[in-house]
Amino acid sequence: MPELVIDLADLADPRVLRLLEDHLADMHATSPAESVHALDVGGLADPTVTFWAVSDGEGAGAAVLGCVALKELSPVHGELKSMRADAAARGRGLGRRLLEHVLDEARARGYARVSLETGTEPFFAPARSLYEKAGFSVCPPFGSYVLDPNSVFYTLEL
C-alpha cells in the first residue's frame, strides 16, 4: 500500500474539488438544508480555516482519499470541520489519521479544546463513534450553533 501523505490542500485541485462536491452532496442528501453546516470552497478559503487533504502519495498522480479542516474560533478553541474519507477509501483508518493530525495541530497551536458539530442521522454513526473513541464528549452548541434535532455537538479538552 502506498504511504499516506497529509498536506495542506489546494482548493483549486480538481481531485480536492470532487471530494468536496461529494461531501456537500452527501450532507444535503442526509440532512435538511438548515442543518447542513459543511463548508464550501469559499468557507474553506477563510483565513481562520486550515484545510488538509490525505493522498496515497505525492504529486498529481496521487489519489486524494480524504480531507479535514481546523477552524480557529478563538486563540484557545478550534473547530473540526469538513472531515471526509472518500467512499472508496473508507475502512482504512483515514478518519482516525485525519483526526490525529488535526488534534496534533490544535495542541501545537496551544488550543485548550477542539469542538465539532455532526449529524444525528445513521449516516453519521461511524463519525460519532470515531469522535467518542478519541475522547470527545457531547456538549451544548458552541459558537454560532443553536440546538437542532439533526445536530450533535462534541468537545475535547486538550
Side-chain angles (χ1 to χ4, degrees), residues 91-157:
R92 295 176 46 186
L94 295 176
R96 182 181 43 76
R97 293 275 305 269
L98 289 166
L99 183 57
E100 288 170 358
H101 181 81
V102 165
L103 294 177
D104 287 347
E105 177 66 21
R107 288 182 185 97
R109 292 180 182 187
Y111 291 170
R113 70 181 168 133
V114 172
S115 302
L116 65 96
E117 177 276 338
T118 193
T120 58
E121 295 87 353
F123 176 85
F124 298 102
R128 293 190 306 267
S129 176
L130 173 69
Y131 302 137
E132 290 166 7
K133 286 177 184 171
F136 281 82
S137 57
V138 174
C139 68
F142 59 92
S144 62
Y145 292 108
V146 296
L147 280 176
D148 178 346
N150 299 296
S151 291
V152 61
F153 305 94
Y154 287 93
T155 198
L156 176 68
E157 300 293 328

Side-chain angles (χ1 to χ4, degrees), residues 11-12 17 20 24 39-46:
L11 290 170
L17 292 173
L20 291 174
L24 289 169
L39 297 177
D40 60 12
V41 172
L44 291 167
D46 185 287

Side-chain angles (χ1 to χ4, degrees), residues 9 11 16-28 33-52 67-73 78-84 102 109 115-118 124 142 144-145:
L11 290 170
V16 171
L17 292 173
R18 182 205 47 84
L19 188 68
L20 291 174
E21 288 168 4
D22 290 350
H23 180 61
L24 289 169
D26 276 349
M27 298 305 98
H28 285 281
E34 66 273 11
S35 298
V36 174
H37 303 289
L39 297 177
D40 60 12
V41 172
L44 291 167
D46 185 287
T48 64
V49 177
T50 307
F51 181 57
W52 296 272
C67 60
V68 67
L70 181 60
K71 179 176 184 177
E72 184 169 295
L73 300 176
E79 180 181 4
L80 179 77
K81 297 292 293 180
S82 301
M83 194 150 102
R84 168 79 176 195
V102 165
R109 292 180 182 187
S115 302
L116 65 96
E117 177 276 338
T118 193
F124 298 102
F142 59 92
S144 62
Y145 292 108

